[in-house]
Amino acid sequence: MIPRSFWIYLGSRFCAATAMTLLRATVLLHVWDLTKSELHLGLIGISQFVPALTLTLVGGAVADAYDRRRIMRLAQLPLLATGSTLCWLTFSGGMSEHVLYAAVFANSMAFAFDSPARQALLPSLVAMDVFPRAVTYSSLATALAFASGPALAGILIAGLGVGWAYAAYVALVALNLFGLGFVRAVREVAERRAPSLQAVREGLAFVWRNPVVLGCMAIDMFAVILGGATALLPVYRDLLQIGARGYGILASSLEIGALAMSALLVLRGPFQRAGPALLAAVTVYGIATIVFGVSRWFPLSIAAYMMVGMADQVSVVIRQTLVQLSTPDALRGRVSAVNMIFIQASNQLGAAESGFLAAATSPTFAVVFGGVGALVVVAVTAWRLPELRHYRIGPGAA
């Protein structure tokens, strides 16, 4: 049985994820409208990646040393501060792209502590025999939030203006902070250790020694670095001539696909042949990215980007389940931090790569090149990591 505290956690997570994707969609569109430069869209990715790379391992060690729920609550305070600043400057007419870069940088610093703690907290909220299903429910709630955030951004920007999108972000972060106050663990966690360089090394060493954990992190990272098109969605808004509401729909379509896949996974249950399913999902991800890159018909673009989201969601669920089940509780914060670096690297470096490559060539070339690159990553991973190719969960697991 899944306890009440887990459902409260899901509600809090929904608010946090909606806020994050709402802010991402709003900032990207705001930067594009201010600069009309793909290069500046790429710089948003760099602004996020630098603090994530330098602080996430520290955040993981902190998550294994102190109360994870308290870390998450403290991390919401800078998010509230940056959101309030963006809201005030937008309404007062003092906004510039440099302020947006600074806000993204500050938020990424906070996420470096929030994300490992949030991932490491989840296994303590349910019994381990229902944990794979809890991951699926959590992924469903996250996918719903990720679809809601960009859609809400598009509606608010089109109807009321960018400032109200930032105001909605502040409200959602506040709701997340409030909900975390009612989350309680149902199992005792392992003995705490003070943060240290040795503790960070232990987390890195565990991942390096486990080829399945390392492989599923790496394939996701390289596929999204090469194939991610999120940073170029404002450019595709103009190419497809769809306006702010259309932009909101386009930005949400990936997450709507992820939501649909999450619902299917809730019905079918966890994958047993997890390795082959992961490789197949990333293959579909690459093909759908290519179709999205060349499409100039809005319905086809929506369908292709939804397929990207569906494939990515399979990867997310398999990776989260595999990493958490393979990791002792005493190491979960640090291993989650390594996982978050892979995720942050894929998202932020992917944004930088697509923005810079689009500025040097064209948006279409950047997206299609990324889709082809994702297919190459699948082939190399399947060849070099047979342990991942044959990995199973449950009876008969490798």
Side-chain angles (χ1 to χ4, degrees):
M1 181 178 177
I2 296 179
R4 175 173 172 266
S5 186
F6 171 78
W7 302 113
I8 297 174
Y9 166 86
L10 280 197
S12 170
R13 173 60 180 157
F14 175 83
C15 291
T18 303
M20 180 180 67
T21 52
L22 182 151
L23 183 68
R24 180 179 64 192
T26 303
V27 167
L28 285 171
L29 189 60
H30 205 170
V31 168
W32 175 250
D33 287 339
L34 287 171
T35 67
K36 296 297 181 183
S37 167
E38 294 93 346
L39 180 63
H40 282 80
L41 293 175
L43 289 175
I44 289 292
I46 295 297
S47 298
Q48 292 174 302
F49 176 69
V50 171
L53 178 65
T54 55
L55 291 177
T56 301
L57 288 177
V58 177
V62 170
D64 283 339
Y66 302 108
D67 182 76
R68 291 161 182 168
R69 186 177 63 100
R70 186 175 184 184
I71 294 168
M72 292 161 60
R73 297 186 73 189
L74 289 173
Q76 306 313 301
L77 300 181
L79 302 182
L80 285 172
T82 56
S84 300
T85 301
L86 292 176
C87 185
W88 171 63
L89 288 175
T90 301
F91 281 124
S92 65
M95 183 58 71
S96 71
E97 65 271 23
H98 305 293
V99 174
L100 292 169
Y101 296 146
V104 166
F105 188 92
N107 277 13
S108 188
M109 292 178 66
F111 284 132
F113 291 89
D114 175 83
S115 297
R118 187 179 296 276
Q119 286 201 16
L121 178 68
L122 179 57
S124 69
L125 301 179
V126 297
M128 292 309 293
D129 61 331
V130 297
F131 178 70
R133 186 160 293 277
V135 170
T136 304
Y137 288 142
S138 178
S139 298
L140 175 62
T142 302
L144 178 60
F146 280 9
S148 302
L152 182 59
I155 292 169
L156 290 172
I157 292 170
L160 299 172
V162 174
W164 286 101
Y166 293 133
Y169 166 78
V170 173
L172 287 165
V173 173
L175 286 172
N176 173 41
L177 177 59
F178 177 76
L180 287 173
F182 298 92
V183 175
R184 298 289 184 273
V186 298
R187 294 187 299 106
E188 292 294 328
V189 300
E191 182 181 355
R192 302 294 191 186
R193 289 182 52 188
S196 66
L197 183 59
Q198 178 60 31
V200 171
R201 288 173 178 165
E202 288 174 359
L204 290 169
F206 177 85
V207 173
W208 185 256
R209 290 194 304 266
N210 191 319
V212 173
V213 172
L214 179 63
C216 73
M217 290 183 184
I219 188 174
D220 180 80
M221 181 183 74
F222 287 112
V224 176
I225 285 177
L226 294 170
T230 301
L232 295 178
L233 292 184
V235 184
Y236 273 82
R237 178 201 64 173
D238 293 348
L239 292 174
L240 296 169
Q241 300 179 348
I242 53 177
R245 292 184 188 275
Y247 170 76
I249 295 171
L250 183 64
S252 296
S253 60
L254 181 143
E255 310 304 346
I256 291 171
L259 176 61
M261 179 55 69
S262 293
L264 289 174
L265 293 178
V266 167
L267 294 175
R268 79 172 300 278
F271 288 100
Q272 287 192 343
R273 300 181 69 242
L278 177 63
L279 294 171
V282 180
T283 300
V284 173
Y285 177 93
I287 294 170
T289 298
I290 294 170
V291 174
F292 175 80
V294 300
S295 172
R296 293 297 180 269
W297 185 39
F298 188 45
L300 178 59
S301 298
I302 291 292
Y305 211 43
M306 284 182 63
M307 188 59 65
V308 170
M310 295 179 75
D312 186 57
Q313 189 64 15
V314 173
S315 172
V316 167
V317 171
I318 291 174
R319 186 180 67 249
Q320 288 184 352
T321 303
L322 187 153
V323 170
Q324 296 294 353
L325 287 180
S326 302
T327 306
D329 185 76
L331 284 169
R332 280 202 177 102
R334 283 163 284 174
V335 173
S336 294
V338 177
N339 188 35
M340 286 309 304
I341 286 182
F342 277 79
I343 294 172
Q344 296 289 346
S346 63
N347 291 331
Q348 275 77 65
L349 287 184
E353 181 269 340
S354 56
F356 295 159
L357 185 58
T361 57
S362 72
T364 300
F365 178 85
V367 176
V368 172
F369 174 83
V372 173
L375 297 178
V376 172
V377 168
V378 173
V380 172
T381 303
W383 170 49
R384 297 291 297 173
L385 289 176
E387 299 94 339
L388 180 61
R389 190 171 69 241
H390 299 298
Y391 185 83
R392 295 175 63 91
I393 295 175

